[in-house]
Amino acid sequence: MTTTTLPEAHHQAPQATSSAPGRLGRLTALSFAIGASSALLLTLVAAFRGAPEPVLTGSGLIGFALGWALLAVLSSRRTDEPQRWAAVPAAVMGVTGIVLAATAPDDAALTTAGWVWAPAMLALAAWTAVRATRSLHSKARAWLVLPALVLLALVSLGGLVETVRVTSDSASMPMPGRSVDIGGRTLHLHCSGTGAPTVVLEGGLGEMSSSWSGIADDVSVTSRVCAYDRAGQGWSDDTDASRDALGIAADLHALLEKSGEPGPYVLVGHSSGGLYAMTYAAEHPDDVAGMVLLDATNPYLLEASLAGKAGGGSGPLALLPSLARMGLAQLMPSSAGTNLDARAAAAFQAFESTARAATNTVDEVSEYARVFPQARTLTTLGSRPLVVVTLADKEATDAAGYAAQQRFSQLSTNSALRTADTTHSGLVDDRHGATFSVRAIADVVEAVRAGTVLAQP
């Protein structure tokens, strides 16, 4: 009997999951796409819900952390080239994002933290780039991972430069005027000149006391004139109180009372500052001797009154503080014009590009749905002098806006509607436009003093 010897069977070990060509690249792309999408979605949801800057930034970091975590997990389970190093940026970004979102530090704390987070993220970008270069053998490294890390490095450098700039400016920028305690916090007030009635200047969105420097210098020759910073602006303290027109009017009333500046006043409001001036006049009519509205924002249009969701968010505008924190606001041209002296222009430029200024803008816009109806409560100034300044091209380009200027002029039986050949911002920061504004202020002051009727254009 012949015995046939069969070849000995070889026991094969379980085959490791092999990286098919492009599999690691596809998983990397998928992880990055999910991370970027999550960061965008979480940030936008937070923005439309009115979340503050640290919550928005934290939400974005959590989204990006998810992408890095997916790369670490999927590459370990689906390929034989695990990218476990990706767990490090995932952990750093995730923990940082959770801490920011949970604690929501204020602007001062975020500025101080810039000395830590910016160098730390720069070091993380460098470390991750080295590990990716060693371990990630895919075109995705060059097309996705390294560009993302370069962007992270640039953001970190921008944040560090911004931290240095803000810290330096706050230490070197002298404050004109004085700080007045209005009850647990202070507002900045800068007054000059003599002669009643005192002129009080109320700036528009993004403006501050320094924005009025050129106009205040001219008005102070014949009258007492005061410019101030609303809460969160310039040299004034921040506040958690409402930034609607009633809150701003209450702040201004307390400021003028505590400062000892006697009334009644001639209120001057530019742009949205006109809405605050109108609300002040409705709330404190005995404090108002006259008014000048410089291309004031239209509060009568329904769509305009819905510009911000009351008590809610301001949409993508809410991203501005985070972008400014990275130094990106420095890339935008300054709106400081020819009507400011060097010191006032430097102060305006230093403050307008900060995350704090951006936060102030977002906070004010988010209250517009309350502000517009509040401004409409002013139905008459009686016979108190009122000059309304509009723009030369407004009648042709903005019929509703021009109609609002006409309606403003009907608030007083002693009023004048005048047309200036300048731009909206030029009424304050351009020499030609500012001269027109100064003339309007001087005419109202003179009409108050003499008890006369305003000259018509």
Side-chain angles (χ1 to χ4, degrees):
M1 182 175 181
T2 304
T3 303
T4 303
T5 304
L6 298 176
E8 184 178 0
H10 294 282
H11 297 283
Q12 294 183 342
Q15 185 177 4
T17 303
S18 176
S19 293
R23 176 181 292 178
L24 180 58
R26 290 193 296 271
L27 291 178
T28 303
L30 176 63
S31 299
F32 270 59
I34 292 176
S37 300
S38 299
L40 179 62
L41 179 61
L42 290 173
T43 302
L44 288 179
V45 168
F48 280 100
R49 295 187 65 179
E53 177 198 350
V55 176
L56 266 66
T57 303
S59 298
L61 286 172
I62 291 170
F64 286 124
L66 176 61
W68 288 108
L70 282 174
L71 176 58
V73 172
L74 292 179
S75 65
S76 297
R77 294 186 176 182
R78 305 289 296 176
T79 77
D80 58 3
E81 295 183 69
Q83 308 296 313
R84 297 186 180 90
W85 54 267
V88 175
V92 173
M93 292 183 181
V95 170
T96 303
I98 291 171
V99 170
L100 282 174
T103 61
D106 60 17
D107 178 79
L110 289 172
T111 299
T112 300
W115 295 104
V116 177
W117 75 259
M121 286 296 177
L122 185 60
L124 177 66
W127 180 88
T128 306
V130 171
R131 294 306 302 267
T133 301
R134 291 176 179 175
S135 304
L136 184 59
H137 305 297
S138 167
K139 291 181 180 180
R141 180 184 68 192
W143 289 98
L144 290 175
V145 178
L146 293 183
L149 294 174
V150 169
L151 181 60
L152 176 60
L154 291 175
V155 167
S156 302
L157 285 173
L160 184 58
V161 170
E162 180 67 6
T163 299
V164 172
R165 185 191 71 84
V166 170
T167 304
S168 174
D169 285 345
S170 62
S172 63
M173 200 65 65
M175 182 187 71
R178 55 184 170 139
S179 289
V180 179
D181 190 330
I182 62 168
R185 56 189 173 90
T186 64
L187 294 180
H188 169 242
L189 180 68
H190 184 205
C191 298
S192 57
T194 58
T198 296
V199 176
V200 177
L201 306 170
E202 185 74 75
L205 187 68
E207 295 174 345
M208 56 176 290
S209 58
S210 296
S211 304
W212 293 99
S213 173
I215 288 179
D217 287 346
D218 290 345
V219 173
S220 67
V221 174
T222 57
S223 306
R224 182 74 168 168
V225 57
C226 297
Y228 84 108
D229 292 320
R230 294 192 287 272
Q233 293 179 337
W235 292 277
S236 289
D237 287 343
D238 296 331
T239 181
D240 293 328
S242 173
R243 303 291 182 89
D244 66 5
L246 289 176
I248 289 172
D251 273 4
L252 179 57
H253 185 259
L255 173 64
L256 294 171
E257 186 176 67
K258 296 288 186 180
S259 67
E261 295 292 338
Y265 314 99
V266 169
L267 298 182
V268 180
H270 174 239
S271 191
S272 60
L275 305 179
Y276 305 135
M278 291 168 66
T279 304
Y280 187 97
E283 291 294 302
H284 309 283
D286 293 340
D287 287 358
V288 179
M291 184 179 292
V292 178
L293 296 176
L294 302 175
D295 199 32
T297 301
N298 177 11
Y300 305 118
L301 193 65
L302 177 62
E303 288 79 5
S305 68
L306 297 176
K309 181 181 178 182
S314 51
L317 192 66
L319 300 176
L320 290 179
S322 297
L323 297 176
R325 187 80 58 188
M326 302 172 192
L328 295 180
Q330 291 295 313
L331 302 179
M332 301 298 292
S334 172
S335 60
T338 59
N339 195 43
L340 304 183
D341 60 40
R343 186 166 67 176
F348 176 70
Q349 291 166 2
F351 282 116
E352 76 158 343
S353 59
T354 63
R356 181 172 183 258
T359 297
N360 180 268
T361 295
V362 171
D363 289 345
E364 290 195 2
V365 170
S366 69
E367 295 288 357
Y368 275 1
R370 290 192 181 99
V371 170
F372 283 60
Q374 290 165 354
R376 294 198 295 264
T377 60
L378 178 66
T379 57
T380 181
L381 287 168
S383 61
R384 284 166 286 183
L386 166 66
V387 170
V388 177
V389 177
T390 187
L391 304 180
D393 65 345
K394 205 174 190 76
E395 186 172 7
T397 61
D398 182 9
Y402 186 76
Q405 306 302 312
Q406 293 178 306
R407 189 167 176 177
F408 291 150
S409 68
Q410 296 168 7
L411 290 171
S412 173
T413 58
N414 184 11
S415 68
L417 176 62
R418 301 178 182 178
T419 301
D421 186 15
T422 185
T423 63
H424 178 71
S425 62
L427 288 169
V428 174
D429 63 25
D430 176 74
R431 171 48 60 184
H432 170 70
T435 299
F436 197 97
S437 299
V438 169
R439 182 71 264 166
I441 295 170
D443 287 350
V444 170
V445 168
E446 183 57 32
V448 171
R449 287 174 178 169
T452 56
V453 176
L454 284 164
Q456 297 300 313

